Structures are given as C-alpha cells and as structure tokens.
Amino acid sequence: VTPRGASNGRERPAKPALTRKGIIATATAVMRAEGGERVTMRRLAKELGTGPASLYVYVKDTDDLHAAVLDELLAEVDLAVGAVEGGWRERLWTIVRSYSAVLHAHPSLARAAQVTPVSGPNYLAMADAILALLGQGGMAAGQAAWAADILLLIARGGAVEHGARRDCPSAGGDVSRGTSGSARARWAFDALLDGALETSRPPAPEHRARPDISVDEPAR
Amino acid sequence: VTPRGASNGRERPAKPALTRKGIIATATAVMRAEGGERVTMRRLAKELGTGPASLYVYVKDTDDLHAAVLDELLAEVDLAVGAVEGGWRERLWTIVRSYSAVLHAHPSLARAAQVTPVSGPNYLAMADAILALLGQGGMAAGQAAWAADILLLIARGGAVEHGARRDCPSAGGDVSRGTSGSARARWAFDALLDGALETSRPPAPEHRARPDISVDEPAR
DNA sequence: ACCTGAACACCGTTCAAGT
DNA sequence: ACCTGAACACCGTTCAAGT
C-alpha cells in the first residue's frame, strides 16, 4: 500500500531494495535454513515481499539463481593450501574435498552445477588453483585440464548420488555397496591422478582415428 | 462412460489393461517420441486414458518410473562383446560407451539414474559384465568394484552435464572447453583404469586413519 | 520507464468417495 | 476390494496492465 521506502515502521525488517546481490543473499539464507528444494522463485519472492515476476529482472531463470547461490557458497572453499603438508597431492585433495563438502551439504546445488555452465568468480578461482597444483605435480597442461574436469565432475556426480541415497538406506544400486563413501572418493582421486600422470592425451583433433592404447591381453 | 472392455470400437486402440509392464512400455514409447521431460505421471495417465492416481498402484513414484524406463532401454547395451578385438580393455570400453550412449540420448534418465538406486536386471547384468572384464584385466576385486562405480558415475554425470549444454553452446564452464567430449571420455576411461590397476585400496574399514599415499614432492 | 498481479500451463501425490 | 475424480499444494515463466 505505502508506495516506496516510506518506512512507516511495521513492514518486514526494512524491505531491502531488490538487487541481484540482495536476491542471491536471501536465496543463500533460505538455502541454509530450509534446504535447496525450497529455493524456488515463488518461495523467494514471498520472502522478499513481491511477486515472482519481479525476480526475472535480476535473475535469468531458476538455474541461474541456483548457480549464483553455489558460487556464493564456494567462498567457503579455502584455496590458500600452501601450508597443507604432504605436497601438491594433499593440497589438491584438500581443495577437492572442500568442494565436495559444499556440494554434499547442498545436493540441489550440485544438481544445478551439473546443469548450468558455471562462471562465478569463486568457481573459476578454484579451477585455476586446481590447474596450478596439477602443474606443480608435473602434469602436462592437456592432461591437467581434462583431469580437473573429471575430478570436479566426479565430485558433482558423487554429491548428487549421495544426496539422493540420504533418505533411502537400502540403496544397493552401487556395485560396491557398504563401504565408506569417503574412502572410495579418496581412492578415485588417487587412481585418476596416477592414471592421468601416465596416460598421454591423444595428439590432435583428427590426427588419427584412435589413440594407440596398449592393448595387452589379460595377465590373469 | 462404457464400463470395462466393452470395445464398442471408438475408444483408443483397445485401452490395454493397466499393468506395470504396460505402463513402462508406454512410458518408454513417450520417452522415445517426445523426450524425457514429457514422461510425467499426468502425461502418462492421459496417454493411458486414466487419472494419475491410477498409476500409483503399479509405480512407486516418478523416479521409480524413470528408473524402470532406463532399465528397459539398457537392453540395448550389448554385453556379448567377446568378438570385440583389442582385449578386455576394448571390450569394457564398448560396454561403457554403449551405456553412455543410452544416457546421452536420454539425459533425463541419466538424472533419474543418479537419484534412484538402480536395481533393474539389465543394469545388474551390465555391472556383472563390467566386473568380469575388470577381473580379466587383472584387477583385484576390491579395486574392480570401486572402478566400476566410478566409471558408471562418470558416464551418468557426463550425460547429465552434456545434456544440459545441448541448447547453450557458449558453455565455458569446463576447464577444458572446446575439445571433443568423446576424446575426453576415452582419456578418462584409460586414465582411471591405468590408475586403478596400480593404486591399492586402503586395507580395512577402520584399520588406520588414512591410507598411506606416496606424498612425494613435485618433479617439476 | 519500470514494476508486478494475475494468468497460463503445467507438476507430484493423496485420499475420500464411488463402483 | 479395487479403482480413481477431484483436490491439495505446489512449480516456472510470461505479459498485459498498472503506476
């Protein structure tokens, strides 16, 4: 009823002017308080005291919103891992595990991250840090880019799949059911890195039909 | 209006009696014809000439439906790869690529597969075939179970992420943008296998705090 | 020019009431 | 006993109409 910032003292805590930053901050708060399923356009509009249509001025669509919230939360990933003992590999693991932790805490954001091309500053900084550490580990740039992709893809997929199994304990879908997920995550990390360090990337876009992989017969 | 199977000759092509098999067959048909977003309870009920409530007699929920459709489509994955030349590795790649192809063709099923514990016979047969080939390759059972999980997880995650980038060409989210996705997929497959063959699995559930990974400093 | 109420076109799931 | 119409409680997104 009251037109603009009249502040007559009985509305919501001041009704902050609608901005993209403000919307994302509110979305992040709802995320932490009620979980990702509640971070919807309509729910958020209600929280901000307006109609859902108003949000579309600042946010492209729901995926855009979720991606922005994720990037906000990725500020939690500490990239200053210089002090971590154990060399580049442990430093890298610290970052990857931290990324995984954020996604496991919010599986719906892991879902969004799969679906929306990430471009937030925190994600990009993390990707850079990962590439730098792979370089420190002696990995060639070509392999490093692919290894980083796969490492992050596994983290996202793992979070989505783990998030779903949350309420259904009798999963049984995995080949290796029962064992600790975090031990498997570490093993996958090590196996991929070990393999990436020795598996050469195929030379050129259309140089030869297939990379010449060693096709030795079974040793068993 | 007409009570039961009166077949007065002007209804839908006979209105097949509702069974789980029939529902899933219809769902599969809609899937192929209109894509996964249309395979909803309501859409399907309309197709079957009934209300959505009726489906819940035969199907637990939407995820259950999608998972069943996926298992149906997994019949396409040819497990008789004995004739594939190149040894166990190429045979395994044939299966994994085939699984990937089904998921890439239907990204919404890849999504469902992440979220629902698979239990369909075709999926289980595929998992068995994969474990057998890893065994042929000389991989210990512990590693093989984890390697199979990760291989399939990568396939699902890759399909979901690729499916989303379908309509947005200016992705840019990946660290390694531009390069062929299938070359990357093959590289990831080889790297993971190479690593899995030499990365030992940590000894026991709670034997020691962390697996003792070699933490050598960078070679560069 | 800027903003948004109300509408459009859907969802999944449940349950009371019908046959 | 079996089945389901109708309702409940939501969605995302658009656009015409208001200020």
Side-chain angles (χ1 to χ4, degrees):
Chain A
V1 179
T2 323
R4 184 37 50 151
S7 123
N8 62 8
R10 64 182 293 270
E11 352 245 288
R12 304 303 192 96
K15 187 163 182 170
L18 236 45
T19 60
R20 184 176 163 93
K21 256 193 99 167
I23 290 169
I24 290 164
T26 303
T28 306
V30 173
M31 185 94 226
R32 290 197 216 261
E34 307 183 37
E37 317 84 66
R38 320 290 316 187
V39 181
T40 67
M41 291 302 206
R42 291 180 108 104
R43 172 74 183 74
L44 204 50
K46 195 164 288 176
E47 192 78 15
L48 291 162
T50 183
S54 307
L55 303 181
Y56 284 85
V57 178
Y58 307 97
V59 148
K60 197 180 143 283
D61 55 23
T62 306
D63 282 335
D64 179 37
L65 175 68
H66 279 66
V69 170
L70 175 57
D71 203 73
E72 199 83 349
L73 294 180
L74 287 183
E76 289 171 11
V77 176
D78 187 3
L79 302 178
V81 290
V84 172
E85 64 182 54
W88 67 273
R89 201 182 193 110
E90 295 307 316
R91 300 192 225 277
L92 182 53
W93 173 241
T94 300
I95 292 176
V96 168
R97 192 182 27 183
S98 182
Y99 178 58
S100 269
V102 171
L103 297 178
H104 272 79
H106 306 282
S108 60
L109 295 187
R111 191 87 54 103
Q114 291 184 313
V115 144
T116 272
V118 242
S119 56
N122 288 326
Y123 182 84
L124 294 179
M126 183 182 70
D128 281 350
I130 289 173
L131 287 176
L133 285 168
L134 289 171
Q136 271 179 46
M139 198 178 292
Q143 275 87 322
W146 279 356
D149 278 354
I150 300 295
L151 243 24
L152 296 172
L153 178 123
I154 291 175
R156 286 187 290 266
V160 169
E161 306 203 354
H162 179 269
R165 274 137 188 74
R166 203 177 36 135
D167 355 70
C168 75
S170 65
D174 285 330
V175 169
S176 67
R177 58 189 174 285
T179 20
S180 152
S182 74
R184 193 186 70 171
R186 175 67 204 229
W187 178 87
F189 172 82
D190 283 318
L192 188 77
L193 285 188
D194 290 342
L197 285 166
E198 71 180 39
T199 304
S200 65
R201 186 170 163 162
E206 63 277 273
H207 198 70
R208 57 181 77 191
R210 290 184 198 178
D212 49 352
I213 301 303
S214 66
V215 281
D216 47 333
E217 266 298 313
R220 184 205 236 157
Chain B
V1 181
T2 324
R4 183 40 49 148
S7 122
N8 61 10
R10 64 182 293 269
E11 350 242 289
R12 304 303 193 97
K15 186 162 181 170
L18 236 43
T19 61
R20 185 177 163 93
K21 256 193 99 168
I23 290 170
I24 291 163
T26 304
T28 306
V30 172
M31 184 94 227
R32 289 196 217 261
E34 307 183 36
E37 317 83 66
R38 319 291 317 187
V39 182
T40 66
M41 291 301 206
R42 291 180 106 102
R43 172 75 184 73
L44 204 51
K46 195 163 289 175
E47 193 78 14
L48 292 162
T50 181
S54 307
L55 303 181
Y56 283 84
V57 177
Y58 307 98
V59 145
K60 195 181 145 283
D61 55 23
T62 306
D63 282 336
D64 179 37
L65 174 68
H66 280 66
V69 170
L70 175 56
D71 203 71
E72 200 81 350
L73 294 180
L74 287 183
E76 291 171 11
V77 175
D78 187 3
L79 301 178
V81 291
V84 172
E85 63 182 56
W88 67 273
R89 200 181 194 112
E90 297 306 316
R91 300 192 225 276
L92 182 53
W93 172 241
T94 301
I95 292 176
V96 169
R97 192 181 29 183
S98 182
Y99 178 58
S100 269
V102 172
L103 297 177
H104 273 79
H106 306 282
S108 61
L109 294 188
R111 192 87 54 102
Q114 291 185 314
V115 145
T116 272
V118 243
S119 57
N122 287 326
Y123 182 83
L124 293 178
M126 183 181 70
D128 280 350
I130 289 173
L131 286 176
L133 285 168
L134 288 172
Q136 271 178 46
M139 198 177 292
Q143 273 88 324
W146 279 357
D149 278 353
I150 301 294
L151 243 25
L152 297 173
L153 178 125
I154 291 174
R156 286 187 290 265
V160 169
E161 306 203 354
H162 180 269
R165 273 139 188 74
R166 200 178 41 137
D167 357 68
C168 77
S170 65
D174 285 330
V175 169
S176 67
R177 56 187 175 286
T179 21
S180 152
S182 76
R184 193 186 71 170
R186 174 67 205 227
W187 178 86
F189 172 82
D190 283 318
L192 188 78
L193 285 187
D194 290 342
L197 284 166
E198 69 179 42
T199 304
S200 65
R201 185 169 165 166
E206 63 277 271
H207 198 70
R208 56 179 81 189
R210 290 184 198 177
D212 49 352
I213 299 304
S214 67
V215 282
D216 47 333
E217 266 300 310
R220 184 207 232 150

